[in-house]
């Protein structure tokens, strides 16, 4: 076994108070643990570009950049559309998935210079910006009756009203304990812990083994009645055959690489290379929207995560995130680039 430069992420149960913003942990589900607390994304920044409904918080990855003093604290947030139609047949550039970057220097106005004590429970650092009681994002809308509960959108206000708030609005209970309907909005909450990947590449096949594999492939084609004289196949059929072969090899490589750690939900390697499951790659990686600099691969979310989300609406092969190579200074939250690669033999959409 050899240790690679990839860090693998796995889900682990964790006390909810340890997953709040002051402890700087990576996590899946629940509400976002916002890093920068004054300049939160506006509700319109977190709408699906296809159905215009609020995106749901999927996960956040705490990823400081040691070489950049302004990125001592740095977190990336991933949001996904919760509408089944957008996930089953997303259109290119539809904005059905978004990733945001936020960062702070070690000395900042929100958090202590030294790490907090993780042996005793303590509250999160509260944002001065009102938050939606349903999803935890910026909540500029206020319940017009009780004036006690905030929402990011009319959609979440309706959801909360039908589920809980109607029965407690303007009551003593409603004014002291904000009730919300989160079961259909929030995913189960877990910490993402990371370990260095250990990987043992398979030995390359010898010429004799390659010849045997090619003979076996020819035999398979004969049994399927597809062998014939290959030079008699049309150009379109040859292209399709070649494409299928490339896809099969790419997918086989993907499966072989993750076989030693099948529970991995995240692969992190800033500046490295993603593990593709299909040869359908993004045509271009757009530059940073803030500094116009180059973006590099940072992490990818693996299909295994779907098994832990209890959601039939979501579907992907892998979500591949690219971020500003310089991790340029931002005020608040900068949108980065995320590419959705679907499973074999399905169309890929990018956001």
């Amino acid at each position: 076994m050899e240790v690679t430069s990839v860090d693998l992420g796995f889900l682990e149960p964790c006390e909810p108070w340890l997953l709040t913003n002051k402890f700087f942990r990576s996590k899946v589900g629940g509400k976002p643990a916002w890093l920068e607390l004054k300049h939160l994304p506006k509700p319109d920044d977190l709408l699906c570009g296809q159905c215009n409904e609020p995106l749901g918080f999927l996960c956040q990855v705490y990823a400081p950049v040691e070489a950049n003093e302004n990125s001592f604290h740095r977190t990336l947030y991933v949001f996904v559309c919760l509408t089944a139609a957008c996930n089953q047949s997303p259109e290119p550039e539809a904005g059905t998935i978004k990733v945001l970057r936020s960062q702070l220097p070690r000395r900042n106005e929100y958090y202590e210079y030294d790490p907090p004590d993780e042996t005793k429970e303590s509250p999160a650092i509260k944002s001065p910006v009102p938050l939606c009681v349903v999803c935890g994002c910026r909540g500029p809308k206020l319940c017009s009756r009780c004036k006690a509960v905030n929402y990011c959108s009319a959609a979440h206000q309706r959801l909360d009203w039908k589920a809980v708030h109607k029965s407690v609005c303007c009551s003593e209970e409603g004014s002291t304990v904000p009730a919300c309907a989160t079961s259909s909005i929030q995913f189960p909450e877990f910490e993402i812990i990371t370990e260095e990947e250990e990987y043992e590449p398979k030995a390359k096949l010898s010429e004799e083994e390659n010849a045997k594999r090619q003979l076996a492939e020819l035999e398979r084609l004969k049994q399927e009645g597809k062998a014939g004289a290959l030079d008699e196949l049309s150009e379109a059929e040859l292209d399709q055959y070649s494409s299928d072969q490339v896809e099969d090899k790419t997918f086989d490589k993907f499966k072989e690489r993750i076989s030693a750690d099948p529970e991995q939900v995240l692969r992190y390697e800033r500046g490295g290379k993603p593990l593709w499951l299909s040869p359908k790659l993004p045509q271009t990686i757009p530059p940073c929207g803030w500094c116009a600099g180059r973006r590099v691969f940072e992490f990818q979310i693996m299909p295994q995560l779907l098994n832990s989300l209890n959601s039939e609406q979501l579907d992907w092969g892998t979500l591949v995130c690219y971020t500003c190579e310089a991790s340029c200074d931002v005020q608040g939250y900068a949108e980065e680039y995320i590419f959705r690669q679907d499973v074999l033999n399905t169309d890929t959409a990018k956001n």
Side-chain angles (χ1 to χ4, degrees), residues 46-58 78-88 90 94-98 184-185 187 311-316 319 340 351:
L46 292 175
L47 294 179
C48 173
Q50 185 162 292
C51 69
N52 213 38
E53 290 294 318
L55 297 173
F57 170 68
L58 178 64
V78 180
F79 294 83
V80 296
C81 184
L82 304 177
T83 304
C86 292
N87 287 286
Q88 293 171 1
T96 60
I97 310 169
K98 293 183 180 180
S184 62
I185 294 296
F187 299 117
S311 175
E312 297 180 356
Q313 286 80 17
L314 298 183
D315 185 30
W316 64 70
L319 306 179
R340 168 182 172 150
N351 294 271

Side-chain angles (χ1 to χ4, degrees), residues 205-219:
L205 296 177
S206 65
E207 291 185 9
E208 181 181 354
E209 289 171 324
N210 268 321
K212 288 181 178 180
R213 174 171 287 189
Q214 290 172 2
L215 286 173
E217 175 66 10
L218 180 59
E219 185 62 30

Side-chain angles (χ1 to χ4, degrees), residues 235-299:
E235 185 174 345
E237 289 174 313
L238 282 171
D239 288 344
Q240 182 60 49
Y241 174 73
S242 176
S243 176
D244 290 344
Q245 290 290 94
V246 171
E247 285 194 344
D248 288 344
K249 289 180 180 179
T250 304
F251 191 57
D252 287 345
K253 181 180 179 181
F254 180 90
K255 291 193 299 180
E256 191 271 328
R257 183 66 180 261
I258 68 173
S259 61
D261 300 287
E263 299 301 311
Q264 60 184 274
V265 299
L266 181 81
R267 295 179 65 85
Y268 185 93
E269 187 186 17
R270 189 165 195 266
K273 295 181 179 180
L275 180 62
W276 299 110
L277 53 75
S278 163
K280 298 174 183 176
L281 310 183
Q283 295 182 355
T284 59
I285 305 301
C288 174
W290 284 71
C291 70
R294 188 171 77 105
R295 281 192 173 111
V296 296
F297 168 70
E298 183 147 354
F299 68 85

